[in-house]
Amino acid sequence: MKIHVKQGRLSQEPSEIALMGHFEDEKELCETARGLDKTLTGQIKNLLKSGEFTGKHLQISLIHARSRSPVKRILMLGLGKRKDCTPEKVR
């Protein structure tokens, strides 16, 4: 397995899967997530709005992007509460 870490617009980088972290109970998406969500016609925002994904620590949800995005799948990872998030918890 090859893992590449890049900086740029996630909505424009072709990849098999992208990992996107989200803090618990945060209603707004970060700029990167908003761009990707726009490409996915609101799939991320709908996932949060439905309550199916809340961002609790280590919660995961897989979104299949189909043909709308150069990213085939997005793995959402719950980071827990922002104030409690540490590098050790993310590892």
Side-chain angles (χ1 to χ4, degrees):
M1 176 189 323
K2 291 184 180 182
I3 298 175
H4 298 277
V5 178
K6 292 184 176 182
Q7 186 173 3
R9 295 186 189 274
L10 190 56
S11 60
Q12 297 174 351
E13 287 290 332
S15 69
E16 290 293 319
I17 191 164
L19 176 68
M20 181 174 298
H22 186 77
F23 289 105
E24 185 174 355
D25 299 329
E26 288 201 0
K27 306 296 181 208
E28 296 298 318
L29 296 173
C30 67
E31 182 180 345
T32 301
R34 281 193 306 268
L36 185 57
D37 191 51
K38 185 176 180 181
T39 304
L40 298 171
T41 61
Q43 281 183 272
I44 299 171
K45 201 165 203 164
N46 289 339
L47 185 68
L48 295 171
K49 189 176 181 179
S50 74
E52 185 179 339
F53 183 82
T54 60
K56 288 185 180 179
H57 185 246
L58 297 181
Q59 180 183 19
I60 58 170
S61 186
L62 183 64
I63 299 172
H64 291 270
R66 300 179 187 93
S67 62
R68 297 180 210 134
S69 168
V71 178
K72 292 182 180 178
R73 293 177 299 277
I74 297 93
L75 182 63
M76 297 289 295
L77 173 65
L79 300 175
K81 296 182 188 226
R82 184 181 288 272
K83 66 179 177 117
D84 298 332
C85 189
T86 65
E88 288 75 31
K89 282 189 175 185
V90 175
R91 285 185 210 151

